[in-house]
Amino acid sequence: MLETGNIYRDNVSRLIGWGHWLVFFNILLALLVSSRYLLIAGWPDTPLGVGYMLTSWVGHFAFLSFFTYLLTLFPLTFLFPRVRAVQLMGAAIATGALTLLLVDTQVFSLFRFHLNPTVWRLLLEQAQAEEASGWGWLFVWVPLLFLFELWLAGWLWRWSQRRRRSLTLPLALPLLASFFLTHSVHIWADALVYTPITDQKANFPLSYPMTAKSFLIKQGWLDEDRYRQLSRQVAEQPQRRLNYPLRPLSVQAPDASPNILLVVADGLRADQLDAITMPNLNRFASRHLRFDNHLSAGNQPRSALFSLFYSLPSHYQRDAEQEGIAPVFIDELQRQDYRFGLFASGGLDKPLYRNAIFSTLRNQPFDTAARGAEGDRKAVADFSLWLEQEDNQRPWFSFVYLDALNQLDLPADTEGPFQPSLQQLNPAQAYQNEQRDALFNRYRNAVFYTDRLLGQLLSRVRQVEGRDTLIIVTSGHGVEFNDNDNNTWGFGSAYSPYQLQVPLVIGWPGQHQPARFSHPTSQLDLVPTLMRQALGVQSPTRSFSTGQSLFKVDANRWRLASDEEEYVIYQQDDITLFNRRGDVQLLRAKDYKTEPDASPELSLLLQVMNDLNRFQGE
């Protein structure tokens, strides 16, 4: 029963005054705990950025603490105006809030994002598991913090009753000023695209700094064209430094270095490598090394090629392009005096080639060329002509890129054996279930034509004498034709096996006998295998790669594919899809459908996040 009259009002008034002091001291505790965010996120490069970080840190956690009090303890004070009851509730609420904050700092240190429902569920499941020893600190932290909060609540009650002078205004004003200054400065920084400040927006939990671009443009205080120009300039600047390789390589070069030919028939699915659709490559594969359970590391050309050459997730691609960092594989080939022959359908005048993969090569023709079937034919012809001019005194590396399959392109005078086939390809109308069979037959005909080119190329290479030639034939990604009945077509639209599973065939004379492998492998594994077995690199693989040897058999290994925003983990029959915001989804590999009652492994996400951050510079 609630008290009434002066006694009730006096109790509530004293408890509200005491509550303000409890909030103030818990703001200090929250700042102490949340200081971990400052260390994890790293300090900005400019004094203004540092000043903003400190100001926003104080203002944000002061606001969160006071807002928590307003939503919880403040209304409870009116309902239960008893000193002991309010002190007990205040201690419990403060303990819960600070514990949640501490858990979030741990999640942020591991994943670089904050708690969300999916991650919270994963943490609870891990806490209930037998191996949840990592949660033992909570059994110490929570009771000690609760006892401390009870003592603090009692001490503040006695202390506040003896005070006659109010300190509310002097203490509250700096905190309030920090909060408003944070949002005001962010409005300015967002309008001027000042990244030392705008890049901090995800540092703290529940942080939503204000923006006002539309209002400023409408009032004429911000020039829209100028803003867009600044945005483009910032987008072209590196967001972080790529620390790759982690340390200088130790190399013992072989006495006789092999020639290396890397052929990427982009868009080639693994299930097309059979005696009917690809007789030439299938015959070659039967006589050499064939990897049947091989995944690309990207579902579109740029991300797949980046990961193939660098053995890194495409998360690092923008940094490599903007900083002009070439793959250690290309650098080592140059150090060992390899000659280079590069032949790409569509040409090499692309940022990925010019600014990253081949950025350290001199006298390379970074020009455009025909694409599709004609570009493929020309690339193979140019390679054959280049090969005739080689004196074979020095080892060579050649890259041949074919892209007709990406466009389902065929020469005008070619029909192909698979009929009925779609004759005129109109992407706006072709990707429909009514034409699925005809469209798929067109794809198979394009594969058949590509195989003919590969037959010519492989036949030409076999005529080279005097030095062993290591031949690698693979693809960047596959192409999907609504195979899972989920209206998914083409490439770059999903991380299903149809878009990621690609063939890998290696002719490796002198080292490996013909074999067919079924253990899980990845495109991230190719470079470390070549570096160690063909180029004599002795350094640990982890210092320059996120892959492993192609010949390491591990049926339970996980494999990563990604673009700059999304990541997918293949582990046996499960697919874990997640992004930088912390959204996590578990799917079945057999049909790419969601598993509603399943949850990904937290330990697996930790391993993947380590690879996604291992080569990120300070």
Side-chain angles (χ1 to χ4, degrees), residues 536-547:
V537 173
Q538 307 296 312
S539 300
T541 299
R542 285 182 57 82
S543 66
F544 62 87
S545 165
T546 56

Side-chain angles (χ1 to χ4, degrees), residues 403-591:
D403 78 342
L405 296 180
N406 286 338
Q407 306 170 51
L408 277 63
D409 193 27
L410 281 165
D413 58 347
T414 302
E415 286 191 0
F418 305 103
Q419 300 298 331
S421 172
L422 197 65
Q423 298 303 312
Q424 297 295 326
L425 183 63
N426 182 352
Q429 300 175 357
Y431 294 118
Q432 299 175 2
N433 281 324
E434 296 79 14
Q435 301 189 81
R436 193 264 179 191
D437 292 340
L439 182 65
F440 189 58
N441 279 339
R442 182 183 178 91
Y443 172 73
R444 296 183 70 192
N445 287 329
V447 171
F448 190 80
Y449 171 74
T450 298
D451 181 71
R452 196 166 73 192
L453 293 179
L454 291 176
Q456 297 171 13
L457 184 149
L458 295 172
S459 175
R460 181 68 187 84
V461 175
R462 283 197 292 270
Q463 299 173 17
V464 176
E465 297 179 358
R467 187 184 296 270
D468 288 339
T469 300
L470 197 162
I471 303 172
I472 305 152
V473 182
T474 187
S475 173
H477 58 82
V479 181
E480 189 165 1
F481 298 90
N482 196 27
D483 299 86
N484 289 313
D485 294 323
N486 57 359
N487 200 32
T488 303
W489 303 81
F491 57 86
S493 54
Y495 288 98
S496 67
Y498 295 103
Q499 295 190 40
L500 286 183
Q501 195 159 6
V502 296
L504 176 64
V505 178
I506 301 179
W508 202 321
Q511 285 208 29
H512 297 278
Q513 297 299 316
R516 191 165 180 173
F517 303 97
S518 60
H519 63 275
T521 56
S522 166
Q523 292 288 54
L524 296 169
D525 303 336
L526 181 62
V527 161
T529 305
L530 296 177
M531 292 283 279
R532 185 167 297 276
Q533 297 195 22
L535 301 180
V537 173
Q538 307 296 312
S539 300
T541 299
R542 285 182 57 82
S543 66
F544 62 87
S545 165
T546 56
Q548 62 183 39
S549 171
L550 285 166
F551 303 102
K552 181 179 180 180
V553 179
D554 182 2
N556 296 319
R557 74 168 292 196
W558 55 267
R559 292 170 290 175
L560 177 69
S562 66
D563 58 22
E564 293 186 356
E565 297 295 332
E566 288 190 311
Y567 315 95
V568 64
I569 310 165
Y570 272 69
Q571 188 179 41
Q572 296 180 324
D573 298 326
D574 293 328
I575 300 174
T576 303
L577 184 66
F578 69 103
N579 57 31
R580 277 289 180 179
R581 296 184 299 276
D583 304 320
V584 184
Q585 187 179 12
L586 199 69
L587 305 103
R588 297 186 297 262
K590 63 180 181 180
D591 57 7

